[in-house]
Amino acid sequence: MSEATTGRSVLITGGNRGIGLAIAKAFLANGDKVAITSRSEVTDLPAGILAVKADVTDEASVDAAFKEVEAAHGPVEVLVANAGITKDTLLLRMSEDDFTSVLDTNLTGAFRVLKRASKGMIRLKKGRVVLISSVVGLYGSPGQINYASSKSGLVGMARSLTRELGARNITANVVAPGYVNTEMTDVLPEETKDQYMKAIPAGRFCEPEEIANVVRWVASDEASYISGAVIPVDGGLGMGH
Ligand SMILES: NC(=O)c1ccc[n+]([C@@H]2O[C@H](COP(=O)([O-])OP(=O)(O)OC[C@H]3O[C@@H](n4cnc5c(N)ncnc54)[C@H](OP(=O)(O)O)[C@@H]3O)[C@@H](O)[C@H]2O)c1
């Protein structure tokens, strides 16, 4: 492990549970200085992870969270935009609020943290951005027009950032998980779970740690020439998409 890939200031949005928490633990094990955001108070995080409050739909709260992290750990060098929500329903029943609220968290929320982080990365002359998308962003999914739109938007975001800031030693990549065992998928109907299971070549669902390992790697020096990529971690579910 090279010295350059440890000890960095890492920020993960929505890191109090699920995939975000697994990502936080992976960076902590790597020797980085890890901060997570959560909307509510968190008390049971592993020692060494700094928790700051932030709602990614609120620019002022994002700014306050960054200030806290910068004071404790220095400018954010690795940003993982992970916070996300679903509000699944078929198009005919989907209200405009169902659509815009999911976009506001998943896509505009990523924009808010990315914009705030980019200033520090430009000054540092280095940075790693990882946007957590979904297989659904490019594969599509009935009942998820809001969610899929938000997740495919992250691809354009990472690629445009790569073109804008790629020459400044900043990479931006998308990790696209398939079906991962977390609270988000726990609430899905059994029938939907069965359908996914039948469609996944790996024949099993993913554990959050399997996403976290890829995020940690794509933010490492080993992945220094990868930018604008969409990396599927889905057991083959989305092949070709
Ligand atoms: N699970 C899967 O199968 C799967 C598959 C593909 C992609 N993903 C994506 O992976 C990411 C993490 O998913 P997960 O399964 O770990 O979900 P999860 O267990 O539901 O956790 C979601 C996280 O996002 C945070 N969050 C939601 N809205 C927020 C907001 N407005 N401001 C700040 N934080 C907010 C939550 O914070 P609170 O605790 O405060 O609510 C929580 O930490 C999401 O972007 C999701 O779309 C998940």
Side-chain angles (χ1 to χ4, degrees):
M1 196 185 298
S2 81
E3 209 177 295
T5 53
T6 67
R8 302 162 301 176
S9 174
V10 178
L11 178 62
I12 301 128
T13 63
N16 52 319
R17 57 192 167 96
I19 294 172
L21 179 57
I23 295 170
K25 287 179 181 168
F27 280 108
L28 191 69
N30 192 55
D32 290 305
K33 293 176 280 185
V34 181
I36 61 116
T37 70
S38 72
R39 285 179 296 185
S40 45
E41 208 72 56
V42 278
T43 47
D44 52 355
L45 280 179
I49 297 178
L50 172 67
V52 295
K53 265 195 180 178
D55 185 329
V56 297
T57 64
D58 175 2
E59 190 185 3
S61 109
V62 166
D63 185 52
F66 268 84
K67 285 194 175 119
E68 216 178 304
V69 173
E70 285 162 352
H73 293 164
V76 172
E77 187 180 332
V78 179
L79 173 71
V80 184
N82 165 77
I85 57 167
T86 51
K87 276 192 191 170
D88 298 354
T89 190
L90 294 172
L91 176 61
L92 286 178
R93 288 195 209 118
M94 191 176 284
S95 67
E96 187 166 325
D97 183 64
D98 291 334
F99 187 83
T100 55
S101 57
V102 169
L103 268 284
D104 195 27
T105 300
N106 297 5
L107 185 61
T108 318
F111 163 77
R112 290 186 188 97
V113 291
L114 175 59
K115 184 171 177 193
R116 184 58 179 77
S118 65
K119 291 179 201 163
M121 289 180 183
I122 290 167
R123 256 182 251 124
L124 274 176
K125 296 188 170 53
K126 57 184 171 180
R128 291 279 192 271
V129 174
V130 185
L131 306 178
I132 306 300
S133 176
S134 164
V135 63
V136 158
L138 298 177
Y139 192 68
S141 167
Q144 295 199 300
I145 283 184
N146 49 3
Y147 183 76
S149 302
S150 72
K151 292 301 186 181
S152 58
L154 294 174
V155 176
M157 191 181 287
R159 291 187 167 165
S160 299
L161 184 77
T162 294
R163 295 198 188 278
E164 239 180 85
L165 298 181
R168 293 175 185 253
N169 198 19
I170 294 170
T171 68
N173 289 290
V174 168
V175 169
Y179 186 118
V180 188
N181 286 318
T182 68
E183 287 174 38
M184 184 177 272
T185 45
D186 209 30
V187 296
L188 291 173
E190 285 307 314
E191 195 193 334
T192 309
K193 291 181 185 175
D194 288 348
Q195 280 169 359
Y196 269 115
M197 187 60 93
K198 285 191 192 111
I200 296 169
R204 65 176 179 86
F205 297 146
C206 184
E207 293 306 323
E209 293 70 28
E210 295 178 283
I211 306 297
N213 289 337
V214 175
V215 173
R216 180 186 51 188
W217 177 77
V218 82
S220 76
D221 274 358
E222 290 182 356
S224 53
Y225 206 57
I226 298 178
S227 198
V230 180
I231 303 173
V233 190
D234 62 6
L237 175 61
M239 280 189 295
H241 295 277

